[in-house]
Amino acid sequence: MTGKTLSRRRLLRTGLAAGAGTLGLAAIAGCGEPEVVEVEVVKEVVKEVEKVVTVEVAAPKPAAVNLVFFDYVWVDIDKVRDLIVDNYKTLNPHVSIDYIKIPWGDYQVKILTSIAGGSPGDVMYNHPQLTATFASKGALKPLNEFINLDKEFDADDFNDGLIEANTIDGKIYSLPTFSGPWMFVYNRDLIEPLGMGDPWELFQAGEWTIDKYREMAAASVTGEGQDKIFGTNEIPSAMKLIYLWAWGFGGSVWDNHDSPKAFVGNSPEAVAAWDYASDLLHDGIAPPREFARNFPGGNQAMLFSNKIAIYQSHRQFFTKITDQINPGLVPMHKMPNGDDQSRDAPEGYGIFSGTEQEEEAWNLTRYIANEGVKVHVSLGFSGPTRKSLWRSDLFKNSLKPWEDIEAYVAAFASLKRQFTQPAGYNEMNKLFTAAYDEIVLESKTAQQAMDDVKPDIDAILAENQ
């Protein structure tokens, strides 16, 4: 038998060389040449590819919400507040807002009526002079729990006293959206010729005192009749303003700052304060009430007309000063007791106690207190309500060239505590201002007027305990 045989080694080499093609395989069939049989060998290579698929699932749209928002009519800044509401709706398209504005004189009655009628809103404007009354009537819902659960809300950043002014018995009823410490704007063209110093420079030197203020205001008085220039404007007689002078003379309005039980505005110290304030009118340093009423535009127009040298007010009014006068700015002077405490009106917004939409009501309230107030600040209708904004670019860029930011910062720092306005404040204030009017008219002494009004004010305090 002749011929070539295919060894096993060769077979293996051939197979390896062939790879995935055909393999020549010799099969010996008896004698003769080996028969080659073509056998197809298929090599299957499986390659697994791991494919990562990202599936985007749209978040469920928030349910539509309609909030009823009660505010009060404030012509000067109504457009600003409208803008804040519109901004919130743009950021929260699922929220619609019934924005209801009520004249100030009707506001308290309207809110209490809505509660009594079982048709409260969701969010409401609030002023410290209403907080205690609204809280006692069950109109406002405490915000403590919302604040504690909201990790992004920094209540400690608010100016001192702002939260406290809206707090009753440890319960916070509204968030402040305004800060306007009581300050003085002065007419440099009337003050500098006196040679008595610049009020802001005197303040920085620790020499801006109530005596210096009165001396400077008295020295500014010149002229007669319609051409007369007065030293300052009248100290407003509302308890929520004039209390500063009672404190500064070592007295008070209430027997207990946190929980008033009695009116003590007839104490010797408080009476000295009422005498001081009314004597600015009696001595002709401030324009008589009738004169101011008959002057077109009143006290403000007198300032713009270079007829008042030193004017008491806050930043919202200062926005009206453009080029009418050459102004300067200074915080409160030191009182007889050495304190330079200022006052504020940290009005704000809270939540109706009867709302069924607590979360959305809180979101709107928080937005106004955080972002909405920045609109107020940028347009000049409020000072910063938060310490972190005192020297911010937002505030700096909103100031006029004559507004010294350091004067504002000093004023913010002087907001050490707030005046308590207990339930029934509005009724008590009417009685107080009527009694003070008798002092101004000199129909009664300060002691007589305050002794006479004390029983009536005490009765209201007792009624609202």
Side-chain angles (χ1 to χ4, degrees):
M1 184 171 48
T2 63
K4 296 181 180 178
T5 60
L6 189 60
S7 68
R8 183 173 180 274
R9 182 176 298 174
R10 186 178 175 193
L11 171 62
L12 291 177
R13 282 202 307 268
T14 305
L16 289 174
T22 58
L23 177 62
L25 183 60
I28 301 175
C31 299
E33 293 292 327
E35 182 179 357
V36 177
V37 179
E38 297 288 331
V39 180
E40 184 175 3
V41 177
V42 179
K43 182 179 180 182
E44 184 177 359
V45 179
V46 179
K47 184 177 181 182
E48 294 185 2
V49 179
E50 185 176 329
K51 187 175 183 181
V52 179
V53 179
T54 301
V55 179
E56 295 185 4
V57 179
K61 291 183 178 180
V65 173
N66 181 70
L67 294 176
V68 177
F69 180 9
F70 284 99
D71 212 335
Y72 90 100
V73 177
W74 192 350
V75 176
D76 285 349
I77 63 171
D78 269 353
K79 291 182 179 179
V80 178
R81 295 184 298 168
D82 289 342
L83 175 61
I84 293 169
V85 171
D86 288 342
N87 287 346
Y88 183 79
K89 290 192 294 186
T90 298
L91 293 171
N92 300 274
H94 67 291
V95 178
S96 59
I97 298 176
D98 291 337
Y99 191 27
I100 302 169
K101 296 178 184 175
I102 306 166
W104 175 246
D106 301 328
Y107 190 77
Q108 177 175 321
V109 173
K110 174 66 175 178
I111 295 298
L112 296 180
T113 300
S114 70
I115 294 293
S119 57
D122 300 292
V123 176
M124 58 182 283
Y125 166 84
N126 183 55
H127 191 285
Q129 74 185 66
L130 299 174
T131 302
T133 298
F134 283 162
S136 67
K137 301 295 184 182
L140 284 164
K141 186 176 186 65
L143 303 178
N144 302 61
E145 184 176 352
F146 297 100
I147 293 172
N148 292 336
L149 292 176
D150 193 331
K151 302 305 181 184
E152 297 180 0
F153 188 85
D154 186 3
D156 294 333
D157 190 34
F158 281 103
N159 299 349
D160 292 340
L162 299 196
I163 292 288
E164 290 79 0
N166 294 283
T167 302
I168 305 293
D169 295 330
K171 297 178 180 178
I172 302 169
Y173 286 100
S174 58
L175 299 180
T177 54
F178 175 84
S179 183
W182 208 241
M183 303 177 71
F184 298 97
V185 60
Y186 54 96
N187 188 326
R188 296 181 187 275
D189 293 338
L190 298 178
I191 294 297
E192 288 180 0
L194 302 177
M196 300 174 70
D198 178 85
W200 172 233
E201 292 176 359
L202 290 170
F203 178 90
Q204 292 174 297
E207 300 173 6
W208 180 236
T209 65
I210 191 171
D211 291 338
K212 177 64 73 174
Y213 159 75
R214 193 184 192 284
E215 180 186 2
M216 191 176 288
S220 302
V221 179
T222 60
E224 298 292 336
Q226 292 297 314
D227 295 327
K228 187 171 183 177
I229 295 174
F230 292 91
T232 190
N233 55 321
E234 178 185 353
I235 296 172
S237 59
M239 283 195 291
K240 65 181 182 180
L241 290 164
I242 202 170
Y243 77 87
L244 270 184
W245 282 261
W247 286 5
F249 277 77
S252 187
V253 173
W254 312 122
D255 63 330
N256 183 292
H257 176 73
D258 296 319
S259 182
K261 298 291 190 298
F263 174 75
V264 294
N266 63 335
S267 69
E269 296 83 3
V271 166
W274 315 145
D275 279 334
Y276 169 85
S278 59
D279 282 348
L280 292 176
L281 293 166
H282 298 154
D283 297 341
I285 298 174
R289 289 178 174 180
E290 185 176 358
F291 185 95
R293 280 195 297 265
N294 292 331
F295 195 95
N299 281 301
Q300 292 185 13
M302 291 180 69
L303 173 68
F304 298 152
S305 302
N306 291 279
K307 295 190 180 301
I308 289 182
I310 309 173
Y311 193 90
Q312 307 167 47
S313 192
H314 54 71
R315 192 191 182 210
Q316 187 184 79
F317 165 72
F318 300 156
T319 61
K320 300 178 182 179
I321 300 174
T322 53
D323 57 355
Q324 304 101 323
I325 63 173
N326 180 17
L329 189 63
V330 64
M332 280 295 297
H333 50 60
K334 289 182 180 179
M335 292 287 188
N337 65 357
D339 191 12
D340 63 354
Q341 163 81 30
S342 189
R343 57 85 56 186
D344 207 348
E347 53 206 85
Y349 295 88
I351 298 176
F352 270 95
S353 59
T355 181
E356 295 180 355
Q357 304 177 104
E358 290 185 358
E359 183 177 351
E360 287 294 348
W362 165 249
N363 288 340
L364 175 57
T365 303
R366 177 185 59 182
Y367 176 83
I368 298 173
N370 282 346
E371 301 303 320
V373 73
K374 293 178 182 178
V375 179
H376 283 284
V377 172
S378 65
L379 296 177
F381 292 104
S382 173
T385 55
R386 293 177 174 273
K387 299 167 187 174
S388 58
L389 294 176
W390 284 2
R391 291 186 174 88
S392 65
D393 289 340
L394 174 78
F395 186 37
K396 290 177 183 176
N397 294 337
S398 72
L399 298 176
K400 294 181 173 64
W402 63 269
E403 291 181 282
D404 192 320
I405 193 170
E406 295 306 324
Y408 279 115
V409 170
F412 295 139
S414 72
L415 298 174
K416 304 178 185 72
R417 62 175 177 149
Q418 294 288 340
F419 176 63
T420 298
Q421 299 172 66
Y425 169 82
N426 286 341
E427 293 76 14
M428 290 183 285
N429 186 58
K430 289 177 183 178
L431 293 171
F432 176 86
T433 54
Y436 185 80
D437 287 348
E438 293 180 304
I439 303 171
V440 171
L441 295 172
E442 298 184 278
S443 59
K444 288 183 180 180
T445 67
Q447 189 68 63
Q448 290 171 334
M450 294 300 147
D451 283 344
D452 289 348
V453 80
K454 175 178 168 57
D456 294 332
I457 293 180
D458 284 350
I460 296 175
L461 280 169
E463 180 183 344
N464 286 279
Q465 295 301 315

